[in-house]
Amino acid sequence: MSNAFKALSHPTRREILNLLKSGPKTSGDLTEAFQVSWPTISNHLNTLKDASLVTADREGTSIVYSLNASVLEEVALGLFDLIGHAPAVPKKKGEEPS
Amino acid sequence: MSNAFKALSHPTRREILNLLKSGPKTSGDLTEAFQVSWPTISNHLNTLKDASLVTADREGTSIVYSLNASVLEEVALGLFDLIGHAPAVPKKKGEEPS
DNA sequence: ACACTAATTAGCACTTTTGCTAATTAATTG
DNA sequence: CAATTAATTAGCAAAAGTGCTAATTAGTGT
């Protein structure tokens, strides 16, 4: 669903996605990276989950959150569709143009 | 600026961008496509302009709004960066994969 | 069953966003 | 310069979003 954009509209949520890029994490792990309370992070994670941008899996006593790459890709492709063309085909990492 | 995401978070604003895809339009033109008042559209256009997603140019008695492709591309690339890879490299137009 | 750890849900205050009507600005034309 | 057309800005009410503390759920081990 396209409330993915709404989910992406908050800096903290984008940063959460960025942190999940390096691997799945619990809400406790993530809370340490921010200056807000645990319930607030939990709430953001819920928003991200509703937008299918992350998945949640219980693992024993913890709940582990992971990035849902396919939906992010979908959203990004939607933006490219908006401008009617594919991106300038990046290579591998950070090769910035002169 | 990354409040582009905030600007993209409203359905009407995304639809405005979609309409601008087929060419520049005035706020009057755009208002006809929606069930909201002209000032409301004007307000949305202002949000899009603040986020640099559109440009506004006065043309005589009218003000013409156009898509700012480069910023949209930037945002889309940012999303791809989040998932760590480039898109599946589309060709030219609508060649959907089998 | 009880305690402990991990995390969510509930309820509330505060801020931001949205969309309306009314008023205003700006360019054009008689 | 008054009238007309195009559009914005102002001001307000209603709705949604944010983030807190307190309370609750859920698993694990004793």
Side-chain angles (χ1 to χ4, degrees):
Chain A
M1 218 150 288
S2 254
N3 60 339
F5 285 107
K6 205 159 230 162
L8 286 166
S9 73
H10 197 286
T12 297
R13 288 194 291 263
R14 289 198 300 276
E15 183 58 22
I16 286 173
L17 294 177
N18 210 38
L19 291 170
L20 289 180
K21 198 174 143 181
S22 64
K25 297 193 174 28
T26 67
S27 64
D29 291 341
L30 290 165
T31 296
E32 290 177 23
F34 299 95
Q35 305 292 31
V36 297
S37 72
W38 197 339
T40 294
I41 294 297
S42 197
N43 194 41
H44 282 312
L45 284 168
N46 214 34
T47 300
L48 289 168
K49 189 152 66 74
D50 284 350
S52 300
L53 292 174
V54 303
T55 55
D57 297 284
R58 183 169 279 276
E59 213 148 293
T61 176
S62 296
I63 296 173
V64 178
Y65 288 88
S66 315
L67 220 56
N68 187 347
S70 65
V71 173
L72 278 165
E73 186 163 336
E74 219 173 278
V75 174
L77 284 175
L79 286 180
F80 278 120
D81 181 58
L82 214 51
I83 55 183
H85 69 76
V89 186
K91 287 103 214 265
K92 212 58 187 277
K93 255 290 190 64
E95 254 97 303
E96 53 227 282
S98 56
Chain B
M1 215 150 293
S2 251
N3 60 340
F5 285 108
K6 206 159 228 161
L8 285 165
S9 74
H10 197 286
T12 296
R13 289 195 291 265
R14 289 197 301 276
E15 183 58 22
I16 286 174
L17 294 177
N18 210 38
L19 290 170
L20 290 179
K21 198 175 142 182
S22 64
K25 297 192 174 28
T26 67
S27 64
D29 291 341
L30 291 165
T31 296
E32 290 178 23
F34 298 94
Q35 306 292 31
V36 297
S37 71
W38 197 337
T40 293
I41 294 297
S42 197
N43 194 41
H44 282 312
L45 284 168
N46 214 34
T47 300
L48 289 169
K49 189 152 66 72
D50 285 350
S52 300
L53 292 173
V54 303
T55 56
D57 298 283
R58 183 168 279 276
E59 214 148 294
T61 178
S62 295
I63 297 173
V64 178
Y65 288 88
S66 315
L67 221 55
N68 186 346
S70 65
V71 173
L72 278 164
E73 186 163 335
E74 220 172 278
V75 174
L77 284 174
L79 287 180
F80 278 119
D81 181 57
L82 213 52
I83 55 181
H85 69 76
V89 186
K91 287 101 215 261
K92 211 57 187 276
K93 255 288 187 61
E95 252 98 305
E96 52 228 279
S98 56

